[in-house]
Amino acid sequence: YMVREAPFTLPMGLKEFIVTISPYLILIVALMTLPVIAGVIGLSTLVTPFAMMAGYGWGFTAIVTLITAIAALILEVMAIKGLFKRTQSGWRLVFYATIVSFVGSILAFNIIDGVISAVIGWYILFQVKALYKN
């Protein structure tokens, strides 16, 4: 649906640009996200006992968000090699990462944000899918 029946398609030059730049963007975002995740884990370890005494829990949504962020990051890092080679397996791993992020958003009760992000991400992914070969 997001390729043939979409209201508009991306021009070939833009698709080529997205496919060329995406592995670099994922690499940069992964390098920036890794310290943030480590910091959140460390900070939560420090703050959780005090939050519990004050009546605040660490929270289901925080745990789900952290776990899905780590899982999506791992999938995206695994996809980098395939994205440089433009293989279907690299594309598929990025698609799985978007599914994990979407499920995490739904479980964390960020439904509207999750749906908007998923639709935009899947639209772009399916627009460039033809440029990835086996």
Side-chain angles (χ1 to χ4, degrees), residues 65-116:
T65 302
L66 183 63
I67 291 171
T68 56
I70 291 170
L73 180 67
I74 290 169
L75 287 169
E76 288 175 346
V77 168
M78 289 171 48
I80 291 174
K81 184 177 178 182
L83 292 177
F84 275 118
K85 293 181 179 180
R86 294 189 179 192
T87 62
Q88 280 286 323
S89 62
W91 180 92
R92 203 172 301 117
L93 286 169
V94 173
F95 178 66
Y96 293 154
T98 61
I99 291 174
V100 167
S101 294
F102 175 67
V103 170
S105 295
I106 298 300
L107 291 175
F109 305 110
N110 293 329
I111 298 170
I112 295 172
D113 293 342
V115 169
I116 291 171

Short mmCIF file of all heavy atoms in Angstrom, two decimals, residues 65-116:
data_model
loop_
_atom_site.label_atom_id
_atom_site.label_comp_id
_atom_site.label_asym_id
_atom_site.label_seq_id
_atom_site.Cartn_x
_atom_site.Cartn_y
_atom_site.Cartn_z
N THR A 65 10.09 1.66 27.82
CA THR A 65 10.79 2.57 26.91
C THR A 65 12.28 2.24 26.84
O THR A 65 12.86 2.20 25.75
CB THR A 65 10.59 4.03 27.37
OG1 THR A 65 9.19 4.31 27.40
CG2 THR A 65 11.28 4.99 26.43
N LEU A 66 12.88 1.97 27.98
CA LEU A 66 14.31 1.64 28.01
C LEU A 66 14.59 0.33 27.28
O LEU A 66 15.51 0.24 26.46
CB LEU A 66 14.80 1.57 29.45
CG LEU A 66 16.28 1.32 29.65
CD1 LEU A 66 17.10 2.46 29.05
CD2 LEU A 66 16.61 1.15 31.11
N ILE A 67 13.78 -0.69 27.54
CA ILE A 67 14.00 -2.00 26.91
C ILE A 67 13.80 -1.92 25.40
O ILE A 67 14.61 -2.45 24.63
CB ILE A 67 13.08 -3.06 27.54
CG1 ILE A 67 13.54 -3.35 28.97
CG2 ILE A 67 13.06 -4.35 26.72
CD1 ILE A 67 12.60 -4.23 29.76
N THR A 68 12.75 -1.25 24.95
CA THR A 68 12.51 -1.16 23.51
C THR A 68 13.55 -0.27 22.83
O THR A 68 13.92 -0.54 21.68
CB THR A 68 11.09 -0.66 23.19
OG1 THR A 68 10.87 0.59 23.84
CG2 THR A 68 10.04 -1.67 23.64
N ALA A 69 14.03 0.75 23.51
CA ALA A 69 15.09 1.59 22.93
C ALA A 69 16.37 0.79 22.75
O ALA A 69 17.04 0.89 21.71
CB ALA A 69 15.35 2.81 23.82
N ILE A 70 16.70 -0.03 23.73
CA ILE A 70 17.90 -0.87 23.62
C ILE A 70 17.73 -1.89 22.49
O ILE A 70 18.64 -2.09 21.68
CB ILE A 70 18.21 -1.56 24.96
CG1 ILE A 70 18.67 -0.52 25.99
CG2 ILE A 70 19.26 -2.64 24.80
CD1 ILE A 70 18.76 -1.05 27.41
N ALA A 71 16.56 -2.52 22.42
CA ALA A 71 16.31 -3.52 21.37
C ALA A 71 16.35 -2.89 19.98
O ALA A 71 16.96 -3.45 19.06
CB ALA A 71 14.96 -4.20 21.60
N ALA A 72 15.73 -1.73 19.81
CA ALA A 72 15.74 -1.06 18.51
C ALA A 72 17.15 -0.62 18.15
O ALA A 72 17.56 -0.73 16.99
CB ALA A 72 14.80 0.15 18.54
N LEU A 73 17.91 -0.15 19.11
CA LEU A 73 19.29 0.26 18.86
C LEU A 73 20.14 -0.93 18.40
O LEU A 73 20.91 -0.81 17.45
CB LEU A 73 19.89 0.89 20.12
CG LEU A 73 21.33 1.36 20.01
CD1 LEU A 73 21.42 2.53 19.04
CD2 LEU A 73 21.87 1.74 21.37
N ILE A 74 19.97 -2.06 19.05
CA ILE A 74 20.71 -3.27 18.66
C ILE A 74 20.36 -3.68 17.24
O ILE A 74 21.24 -3.99 16.43
CB ILE A 74 20.46 -4.42 19.66
CG1 ILE A 74 21.13 -4.10 21.00
CG2 ILE A 74 20.96 -5.75 19.11
CD1 ILE A 74 20.72 -5.03 22.13
N LEU A 75 19.07 -3.68 16.90
CA LEU A 75 18.65 -4.04 15.54
C LEU A 75 19.22 -3.07 14.50
O LEU A 75 19.66 -3.48 13.43
CB LEU A 75 17.13 -4.09 15.45
CG LEU A 75 16.46 -5.27 16.13
CD1 LEU A 75 14.95 -5.06 16.19
CD2 LEU A 75 16.80 -6.56 15.43
N GLU A 76 19.21 -1.79 14.82
CA GLU A 76 19.72 -0.81 13.87
C GLU A 76 21.23 -0.93 13.69
O GLU A 76 21.73 -0.80 12.57
CB GLU A 76 19.35 0.60 14.32
CG GLU A 76 17.87 0.90 14.14
CD GLU A 76 17.45 2.24 14.68
OE1 GLU A 76 18.24 2.86 15.44
OE2 GLU A 76 16.34 2.67 14.35
N VAL A 77 21.95 -1.19 14.76
CA VAL A 77 23.40 -1.38 14.65
C VAL A 77 23.70 -2.63 13.83
O VAL A 77 24.62 -2.65 13.01
CB VAL A 77 24.06 -1.43 16.05
CG1 VAL A 77 25.49 -1.91 15.97
CG2 VAL A 77 24.00 -0.05 16.70
N MET A 78 22.91 -3.69 14.03
CA MET A 78 23.09 -4.91 13.24
C MET A 78 22.81 -4.65 11.76
O MET A 78 23.36 -5.33 10.90
CB MET A 78 22.17 -6.02 13.76
CG MET A 78 22.58 -6.57 15.10
SD MET A 78 21.37 -7.70 15.85
CE MET A 78 20.99 -8.80 14.52
N ALA A 79 21.96 -3.68 11.45
CA ALA A 79 21.57 -3.40 10.07
C ALA A 79 22.59 -2.57 9.31
O ALA A 79 22.55 -2.53 8.07
CB ALA A 79 20.23 -2.68 10.05
N ILE A 80 23.50 -1.92 9.99
CA ILE A 80 24.41 -0.97 9.33
C ILE A 80 25.20 -1.62 8.20
O ILE A 80 25.28 -1.09 7.09
CB ILE A 80 25.34 -0.29 10.36
CG1 ILE A 80 24.53 0.64 11.24
CG2 ILE A 80 26.46 0.47 9.66
CD1 ILE A 80 25.32 1.25 12.39
N LYS A 81 25.77 -2.78 8.46
CA LYS A 81 26.57 -3.46 7.43
C LYS A 81 25.71 -3.76 6.18
O LYS A 81 26.14 -3.54 5.05
CB LYS A 81 27.16 -4.75 8.01
CG LYS A 81 28.07 -5.47 7.06
CD LYS A 81 28.67 -6.70 7.72
CE LYS A 81 29.54 -7.47 6.76
NZ LYS A 81 30.09 -8.68 7.39
N GLY A 82 24.50 -4.25 6.40
CA GLY A 82 23.61 -4.54 5.28
C GLY A 82 23.14 -3.29 4.56
O GLY A 82 22.92 -3.31 3.35
N LEU A 83 22.99 -2.20 5.28
CA LEU A 83 22.58 -0.96 4.63
C LEU A 83 23.69 -0.41 3.74
O LEU A 83 23.41 0.14 2.68
CB LEU A 83 22.18 0.08 5.68
CG LEU A 83 20.91 -0.21 6.47
CD1 LEU A 83 20.68 0.86 7.51
CD2 LEU A 83 19.71 -0.33 5.55
N PHE A 84 24.94 -0.54 4.18
CA PHE A 84 26.05 -0.11 3.32
C PHE A 84 26.10 -0.95 2.04
O PHE A 84 26.40 -0.43 0.97
CB PHE A 84 27.38 -0.21 4.06
CG PHE A 84 27.70 0.99 4.90
CD1 PHE A 84 27.85 0.87 6.27
CD2 PHE A 84 27.86 2.24 4.33
CE1 PHE A 84 28.14 1.97 7.05
CE2 PHE A 84 28.16 3.35 5.10
CZ PHE A 84 28.30 3.21 6.47
N LYS A 85 25.79 -2.25 2.15
CA LYS A 85 25.81 -3.14 0.99
C LYS A 85 24.48 -3.13 0.23
O LYS A 85 24.36 -3.78 -0.81
CB LYS A 85 26.12 -4.57 1.43
CG LYS A 85 27.51 -4.74 1.97
CD LYS A 85 27.76 -6.18 2.35
CE LYS A 85 29.16 -6.38 2.89
NZ LYS A 85 29.41 -7.77 3.26
N ARG A 86 23.50 -2.42 0.77
CA ARG A 86 22.15 -2.33 0.18
C ARG A 86 21.50 -3.70 0.00
O ARG A 86 20.98 -4.03 -1.06
CB ARG A 86 22.18 -1.58 -1.14
CG ARG A 86 22.56 -0.14 -1.00
CD ARG A 86 22.37 0.60 -2.28
NE ARG A 86 22.73 2.00 -2.11
CZ ARG A 86 22.46 2.93 -2.99
NH1 ARG A 86 21.83 2.63 -4.08
NH2 ARG A 86 22.82 4.16 -2.76
N THR A 87 21.50 -4.48 1.08
CA THR A 87 20.87 -5.80 1.05
C THR A 87 19.49 -5.74 1.70
O THR A 87 19.22 -4.88 2.54
CB THR A 87 21.74 -6.84 1.79
OG1 THR A 87 21.84 -6.46 3.17
CG2 THR A 87 23.11 -6.97 1.17
N GLN A 88 18.65 -6.67 1.31
CA GLN A 88 17.31 -6.78 1.90
C GLN A 88 17.38 -7.08 3.39
O GLN A 88 16.53 -6.65 4.14
CB GLN A 88 16.51 -7.88 1.19
CG GLN A 88 15.91 -7.46 -0.12
CD GLN A 88 14.72 -6.53 0.08
OE1 GLN A 88 13.94 -6.69 1.00
NE2 GLN A 88 14.59 -5.56 -0.80
N SER A 89 18.39 -7.83 3.81
CA SER A 89 18.49 -8.16 5.24
C SER A 89 18.73 -6.91 6.07
O SER A 89 18.21 -6.79 7.18
CB SER A 89 19.59 -9.19 5.47
OG SER A 89 20.85 -8.68 5.09
N GLY A 90 19.52 -5.97 5.57
CA GLY A 90 19.72 -4.71 6.27
C GLY A 90 18.44 -3.91 6.36
O GLY A 90 18.10 -3.36 7.42
N TRP A 91 17.71 -3.85 5.26
CA TRP A 91 16.44 -3.14 5.24
C TRP A 91 15.46 -3.78 6.22
O TRP A 91 14.77 -3.09 6.97
CB TRP A 91 15.84 -3.16 3.82
CG TRP A 91 14.54 -2.44 3.73
CD1 TRP A 91 14.37 -1.13 3.40
CD2 TRP A 91 13.23 -2.97 3.96
NE1 TRP A 91 13.03 -0.82 3.42
CE2 TRP A 91 12.32 -1.94 3.75
CE3 TRP A 91 12.75 -4.23 4.32
CZ2 TRP A 91 10.95 -2.12 3.91
CZ3 TRP A 91 11.39 -4.40 4.47
CH2 TRP A 91 10.50 -3.35 4.27
N ARG A 92 15.43 -5.11 6.22
CA ARG A 92 14.52 -5.85 7.10
C ARG A 92 14.81 -5.58 8.57
O ARG A 92 13.89 -5.43 9.38
CB ARG A 92 14.61 -7.34 6.79
CG ARG A 92 13.40 -8.12 7.20
CD ARG A 92 13.44 -9.57 6.72
NE ARG A 92 13.53 -9.68 5.27
CZ ARG A 92 14.55 -10.22 4.61
NH1 ARG A 92 15.57 -10.74 5.27
NH2 ARG A 92 14.55 -10.28 3.31
N LEU A 93 16.09 -5.50 8.95
CA LEU A 93 16.44 -5.21 10.34
C LEU A 93 15.98 -3.81 10.76
O LEU A 93 15.52 -3.61 11.89
CB LEU A 93 17.94 -5.37 10.56
CG LEU A 93 18.45 -6.81 10.61
CD1 LEU A 93 19.97 -6.84 10.57
CD2 LEU A 93 17.93 -7.52 11.84
N VAL A 94 16.09 -2.84 9.86
CA VAL A 94 15.59 -1.50 10.17
C VAL A 94 14.07 -1.54 10.32
O VAL A 94 13.50 -0.90 11.21
CB VAL A 94 16.01 -0.48 9.09
CG1 VAL A 94 15.35 0.87 9.33
CG2 VAL A 94 17.51 -0.33 9.07
N PHE A 95 13.40 -2.31 9.48
CA PHE A 95 11.95 -2.47 9.58
C PHE A 95 11.57 -3.09 10.93
O PHE A 95 10.65 -2.62 11.60
CB PHE A 95 11.42 -3.31 8.41
CG PHE A 95 9.95 -3.57 8.47
CD1 PHE A 95 9.04 -2.53 8.32
CD2 PHE A 95 9.46 -4.84 8.66
CE1 PHE A 95 7.68 -2.76 8.37
CE2 PHE A 95 8.10 -5.09 8.70
CZ PHE A 95 7.20 -4.04 8.56
N TYR A 96 12.30 -4.11 11.35
CA TYR A 96 12.04 -4.73 12.65
C TYR A 96 12.28 -3.73 13.78
O TYR A 96 11.55 -3.73 14.78
CB TYR A 96 12.91 -5.96 12.85
CG TYR A 96 12.60 -7.12 11.93
CD1 TYR A 96 13.58 -8.05 11.62
CD2 TYR A 96 11.35 -7.28 11.35
CE1 TYR A 96 13.32 -9.11 10.77
CE2 TYR A 96 11.08 -8.33 10.49
CZ TYR A 96 12.07 -9.25 10.21
OH TYR A 96 11.81 -10.30 9.37
N ALA A 97 13.28 -2.89 13.64
CA ALA A 97 13.54 -1.87 14.66
C ALA A 97 12.37 -0.89 14.77
O ALA A 97 12.01 -0.48 15.88
CB ALA A 97 14.83 -1.11 14.34
N THR A 98 11.76 -0.55 13.63
CA THR A 98 10.60 0.35 13.69
C THR A 98 9.41 -0.34 14.32
O THR A 98 8.63 0.30 15.03
CB THR A 98 10.22 0.87 12.29
OG1 THR A 98 9.87 -0.21 11.44
CG2 THR A 98 11.33 1.70 11.69
N ILE A 99 9.27 -1.64 14.09
CA ILE A 99 8.18 -2.39 14.74
C ILE A 99 8.39 -2.42 16.25
O ILE A 99 7.45 -2.21 17.02
CB ILE A 99 8.07 -3.81 14.15
CG1 ILE A 99 7.56 -3.74 12.72
CG2 ILE A 99 7.14 -4.68 15.00
CD1 ILE A 99 7.55 -5.07 12.00
N VAL A 100 9.62 -2.69 16.69
CA VAL A 100 9.92 -2.71 18.12
C VAL A 100 9.63 -1.34 18.74
O VAL A 100 9.02 -1.25 19.81
CB VAL A 100 11.39 -3.13 18.36
CG1 VAL A 100 11.81 -2.87 19.79
CG2 VAL A 100 11.58 -4.60 18.01
N SER A 101 10.02 -0.28 18.08
CA SER A 101 9.76 1.07 18.58
C SER A 101 8.26 1.35 18.65
O SER A 101 7.78 1.95 19.62
CB SER A 101 10.42 2.12 17.70
OG SER A 101 11.81 2.01 17.76
N PHE A 102 7.53 0.90 17.64
CA PHE A 102 6.08 1.09 17.62
C PHE A 102 5.41 0.35 18.77
O PHE A 102 4.58 0.91 19.49
CB PHE A 102 5.51 0.64 16.27
CG PHE A 102 4.02 0.70 16.19
CD1 PHE A 102 3.36 1.91 16.21
CD2 PHE A 102 3.27 -0.46 16.09
CE1 PHE A 102 1.97 1.98 16.14
CE2 PHE A 102 1.89 -0.41 16.01
CZ PHE A 102 1.24 0.82 16.04
N VAL A 103 5.79 -0.90 18.97
CA VAL A 103 5.21 -1.69 20.07
C VAL A 103 5.57 -1.05 21.41
O VAL A 103 4.72 -0.97 22.31
CB VAL A 103 5.69 -3.16 19.99
CG1 VAL A 103 5.32 -3.93 21.24
CG2 VAL A 103 5.09 -3.84 18.76
N GLY A 104 6.80 -0.58 21.54
CA GLY A 104 7.20 0.10 22.77
C GLY A 104 6.38 1.35 23.03
O GLY A 104 6.00 1.63 24.17
N SER A 105 6.10 2.11 21.98
CA SER A 105 5.28 3.31 22.13
C SER A 105 3.86 2.96 22.57
O SER A 105 3.29 3.64 23.43
CB SER A 105 5.22 4.09 20.82
OG SER A 105 6.47 4.59 20.49
N ILE A 106 3.31 1.92 22.00
CA ILE A 106 1.96 1.49 22.37
C ILE A 106 1.93 1.03 23.82
O ILE A 106 1.04 1.40 24.59
CB ILE A 106 1.46 0.38 21.42
CG1 ILE A 106 1.39 0.89 19.98
CG2 ILE A 106 0.11 -0.17 21.87
CD1 ILE A 106 0.47 2.05 19.75
N LEU A 107 2.92 0.21 24.22
CA LEU A 107 2.96 -0.29 25.60
C LEU A 107 3.22 0.82 26.61
O LEU A 107 2.81 0.72 27.77
CB LEU A 107 4.03 -1.37 25.74
CG LEU A 107 3.73 -2.69 25.02
CD1 LEU A 107 4.92 -3.64 25.14
CD2 LEU A 107 2.47 -3.33 25.58
N ALA A 108 3.91 1.87 26.19
CA ALA A 108 4.19 3.01 27.07
C ALA A 108 3.08 4.06 27.00
O ALA A 108 3.22 5.15 27.55
CB ALA A 108 5.53 3.64 26.72
N PHE A 109 1.99 3.73 26.33
CA PHE A 109 0.81 4.59 26.21
C PHE A 109 1.09 5.88 25.45
O PHE A 109 0.42 6.89 25.67
CB PHE A 109 0.21 4.90 27.59
CG PHE A 109 -0.10 3.65 28.38
CD1 PHE A 109 0.65 3.32 29.49
CD2 PHE A 109 -1.11 2.81 27.97
CE1 PHE A 109 0.38 2.17 30.21
CE2 PHE A 109 -1.39 1.65 28.68
CZ PHE A 109 -0.64 1.33 29.80
N ASN A 110 2.05 5.86 24.55
CA ASN A 110 2.30 6.97 23.63
C ASN A 110 1.71 6.60 22.27
O ASN A 110 2.43 6.54 21.27
CB ASN A 110 3.80 7.25 23.50
CG ASN A 110 4.40 7.77 24.77
OD1 ASN A 110 3.73 8.44 25.54
ND2 ASN A 110 5.66 7.46 25.00
N ILE A 111 0.44 6.36 22.24
CA ILE A 111 -0.22 5.78 21.06
C ILE A 111 -0.16 6.72 19.87
O ILE A 111 0.21 6.32 18.77
CB ILE A 111 -1.67 5.38 21.40
CG1 ILE A 111 -1.64 4.31 22.49
CG2 ILE A 111 -2.40 4.89 20.17
CD1 ILE A 111 -2.97 3.99 23.10
N ILE A 112 -0.51 7.98 20.05
CA ILE A 112 -0.54 8.91 18.92
C ILE A 112 0.86 9.12 18.36
O ILE A 112 1.06 9.05 17.14
CB ILE A 112 -1.18 10.26 19.34
CG1 ILE A 112 -2.65 10.02 19.70
CG2 ILE A 112 -1.04 11.29 18.25
CD1 ILE A 112 -3.34 11.22 20.30
N ASP A 113 1.84 9.34 19.23
CA ASP A 113 3.22 9.50 18.77
C ASP A 113 3.71 8.24 18.06
O ASP A 113 4.39 8.32 17.04
CB ASP A 113 4.15 9.80 19.94
CG ASP A 113 3.88 11.16 20.56
OD1 ASP A 113 3.24 11.99 19.90
OD2 ASP A 113 4.31 11.37 21.71
N GLY A 114 3.37 7.09 18.61
CA GLY A 114 3.80 5.82 18.02
C GLY A 114 3.22 5.61 16.63
O GLY A 114 3.92 5.19 15.70
N VAL A 115 1.95 5.91 16.47
CA VAL A 115 1.29 5.72 15.17
C VAL A 115 1.86 6.70 14.14
O VAL A 115 2.17 6.30 13.01
CB VAL A 115 -0.24 5.89 15.30
CG1 VAL A 115 -0.91 5.97 13.94
CG2 VAL A 115 -0.83 4.74 16.11
N ILE A 116 2.02 7.96 14.51
CA ILE A 116 2.56 8.94 13.58
C ILE A 116 3.98 8.56 13.16
O ILE A 116 4.32 8.58 11.97
CB ILE A 116 2.52 10.36 14.18
CG1 ILE A 116 1.07 10.82 14.31
CG2 ILE A 116 3.33 11.34 13.35
CD1 ILE A 116 0.88 12.11 15.09
#
